[in-house]
């Protein structure tokens, strides 16, 4: 029997300070997330310098708690995985410095992980991934469709040409005067509304798997201005519902088309916007109709966490991937395959 693999994961790319221990890439023994949302709310978004300061305050405590909850000592671990990029450089560096120090002090291998690979592998914490697989990544910084033919292999087939889906959610929420982060607020309002304002869908060229959300955002802003000029009240819930429906329609239609074209065995949704109730329902229905297996992690594993970093780290560890202690934060890191 193969020995069990225990990987400590560390994530500090944005405004969550997170550490976790995962066994064999799928069993979560602990998953600690210290969120800065309350503090960042005052500024209506993430202020990088403030994010870094919070990470410095929290990181040691969060790592200690992750080990304590997993009931493991550093010597029981096999590796330390940490988000290397993309993200805010100052924020990344706090997690990376902590990971390096921990790995060096405990003589453990260090593995640098791509944040988006983490979001994809959050699905592995729920059920094994089946290949070929289509990952639809929708987060605050990314909107991408990635084809995976096996573990560690990533082919980008489409991406946003302007705003990421989550960014559009947050910007539209701001226009509607809703607090940060806007995604969950719009999701809630959209769910409450009986009606929806009609907004355009950006299909782009017929065969394109790319996305564009900035035109939709402008349409919402224009709609609000027009209504204001006419002295009419806007129905915020109906605007939220119309905006959300436009995002969901485009994501669903393109994901289904890609899944069929590439003949995938499984489609997975990943990233913060995959927590969206309307999107989850739309994907579930569409892929059930096509008889293609669909999986999405529970909501707390869709938003930033460290268990997903441990999950990727375990797979990379098994492939023999190791990073040196010279690892640096890579704010613009590209999702590259780790196998040939
Ligand atoms: O993946 P994530 O936690 O951080 C990044 O890696 O970017 O994603 C954060 C994004 C934010 O834009 C947030 O508004 C959005 O995910 N989000 C949602 C929902 N929950 C979080 N968007 C729509 N509906 C939600 N329920
Ligand atoms: Zn993320």
């Amino acid at each position: 029997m193969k020995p069990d693999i225990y990987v400590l994961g560390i994530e500090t790319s944005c405004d969550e300070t997170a550490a976790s221990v995962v066994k064999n890439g799928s069993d979560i023994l602990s998953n600690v997330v210290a969120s800065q949302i309350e503090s960042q709310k005052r500024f209506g978004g993430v202020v990088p310098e403030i994010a870094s300061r919070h990470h410095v305050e929290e990181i040691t405590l969060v790592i200690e708690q992750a080990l304590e909850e997993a009931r493991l000592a550093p010597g029981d671990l096999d590796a330390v995985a940490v988000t290397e990029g993309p993200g805010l450089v100052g924020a990344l560096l706090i997690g990376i410095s902590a990971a390096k120090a921990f790995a060096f002090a405990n003589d453990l291998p260090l593995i640098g992980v791509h944040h988006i690979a983490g979001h994809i592998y959050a699905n592995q914490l729920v059920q094994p991934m089946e290949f070929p697989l289509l990952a639809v990544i929708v987060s605050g910084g990314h909107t991408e469709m990635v084809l995976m033919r096996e573990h560690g292999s990533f082919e980008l087939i489409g991406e946003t040409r302007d705003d990421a889906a989550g960014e559009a959610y947050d910007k539209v929420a701001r226009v509607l005067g809703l607090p940060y982060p806007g995604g969950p607020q719009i999701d809630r309002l959209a769910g409450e509304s009986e009606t929806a304002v009609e907004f355009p869908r950006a299909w782009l060229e017929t065969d394109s798997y790319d996305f564009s959300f900035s035109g939709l955002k402008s349409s919402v802003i224009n709609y609000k201005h027009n209504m204001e000029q006419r002295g009419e009240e806007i129905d915020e819930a109906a605007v939220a519902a119309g905006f959300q429906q436009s995002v969901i329609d485009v994501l669903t239609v393109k994901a289904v088309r890609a899944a069929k074209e590439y003949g995938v065995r499984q489609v997975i949704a990943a990233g913060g916007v995959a927590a969206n109730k309307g999107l989850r329902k739309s994907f579930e229905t569409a892929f059930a109709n096509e008889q293609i297996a669909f999986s999405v992690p529970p909501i707390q594993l869709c938003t930033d966490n460290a268990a997903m970093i441990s999950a990727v780290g375990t797979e990379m560890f098994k492939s023999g991937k190791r990073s040196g202690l010279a690892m640096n934060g890579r704010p613009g890191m590209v999702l590259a395959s780790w196998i040939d």
Side-chain angles (χ1 to χ4, degrees):
M1 220 175 70
K2 277 198 255 166
D4 290 327
I5 300 173
Y6 296 93
V7 174
L8 172 70
I10 297 174
E11 153 67 39
T12 62
S13 67
C14 190
D15 59 349
E16 255 91 36
T17 318
S20 105
V21 179
V22 170
K23 178 180 164 186
N24 296 331
S26 58
D27 298 346
I28 302 176
L29 303 187
S30 62
N31 191 17
V32 183
V33 183
S35 173
Q36 307 174 7
I37 284 179
E38 278 314 310
S39 153
Q40 306 280 2
K41 242 182 193 166
R42 282 185 289 151
F43 309 103
V46 179
V47 181
E49 189 52 35
I50 294 176
S52 305
R53 286 179 200 203
H54 276 285
H55 288 312
V56 170
E57 282 169 19
E58 296 287 344
I59 189 71
T60 321
L61 300 168
V62 166
I63 293 173
E64 272 172 15
Q65 196 183 332
L67 285 169
E68 208 172 286
E69 284 181 17
R71 297 179 182 278
L72 292 178
D76 300 321
L77 298 169
D78 294 280
V80 182
V82 63
T83 306
E84 186 176 356
L88 303 169
V89 70
L92 288 166
L93 280 172
I94 312 297
I96 292 172
S97 306
K100 281 185 191 175
F102 192 96
F104 182 71
N106 297 293
D107 201 16
L108 290 166
L110 176 70
I111 302 170
V113 170
H114 192 284
H115 182 77
I116 296 300
H119 277 301
I120 296 174
Y121 273 80
N123 282 275
Q124 182 94 331
L125 300 164
V126 186
Q127 64 182 81
M129 286 152 73
E130 294 197 41
F131 304 104
L133 170 155
L134 176 73
V136 183
I137 301 126
V138 276
S139 74
H142 294 257
T143 305
E144 280 153 23
M145 289 206 287
V146 170
L147 181 68
M148 289 181 71
R149 296 185 199 274
E150 56 187 309
H151 279 299
S153 144
F154 306 99
E155 284 168 52
L156 183 68
I157 62 168
E159 63 187 326
T160 183
R161 293 185 186 169
D162 39 60
D163 291 354
E167 199 179 343
Y169 264 95
D170 294 338
K171 286 179 179 168
V172 165
R174 218 169 165 160
V175 170
L176 296 178
L178 300 167
Y180 172 85
Q185 304 284 340
I186 294 198
D187 195 7
R188 178 182 53 77
L189 275 181
E192 286 168 8
S193 184
E194 303 267 306
T195 53
V197 176
E198 186 65 26
F199 290 115
R201 275 109 179 100
W203 298 112
L204 307 178
E205 307 81 52
T206 16
D207 57 347
S208 173
Y209 289 125
D210 281 351
F211 301 96
S212 165
F213 295 109
S214 73
L216 172 60
K217 175 193 64 191
S218 305
S219 300
V220 175
I221 295 172
N222 288 342
Y223 175 83
K224 189 180 174 227
H225 286 168
N226 285 341
M227 293 292 275
E228 278 168 0
Q229 272 168 2
R230 281 191 258 146
E232 289 178 41
E233 281 276 304
I234 65 162
D235 177 349
E236 278 162 10
V239 173
F243 162 78
Q244 174 150 313
Q245 204 48 57
S246 170
V247 174
I248 291 174
D249 274 0
V250 176
L251 286 169
T252 308
V253 168
K254 293 205 178 208
V256 167
R257 188 154 52 80
K260 283 162 75 176
E261 183 184 331
Y262 289 95
V264 300
R265 287 183 62 199
Q266 191 188 20
V267 175
I268 61 181
V273 183
N276 187 272
K277 291 193 198 69
L279 183 64
R280 295 165 85 93
K281 209 159 138 202
S282 171
F283 272 22
E284 269 156 23
T285 314
F287 289 112
N289 286 341
E290 298 294 338
Q291 298 185 321
I292 299 172
F294 170 69
S295 142
V296 58
I299 288 171
Q300 70 276 15
L301 293 177
C302 283
T303 45
D304 288 349
N305 65 85
M308 66 187 199
I309 303 303
S310 294
V312 186
T314 309
E315 229 27 82
M316 294 176 79
F317 176 77
K318 288 199 283 186
S319 309
K321 297 307 272 186
R322 304 289 184 267
S323 304
L325 287 173
M327 188 203 294
N328 207 343
R330 292 167 63 192
M333 188 175 180
V334 172
L335 179 61
S337 301
W338 72 70
I339 54 149
D340 296 327

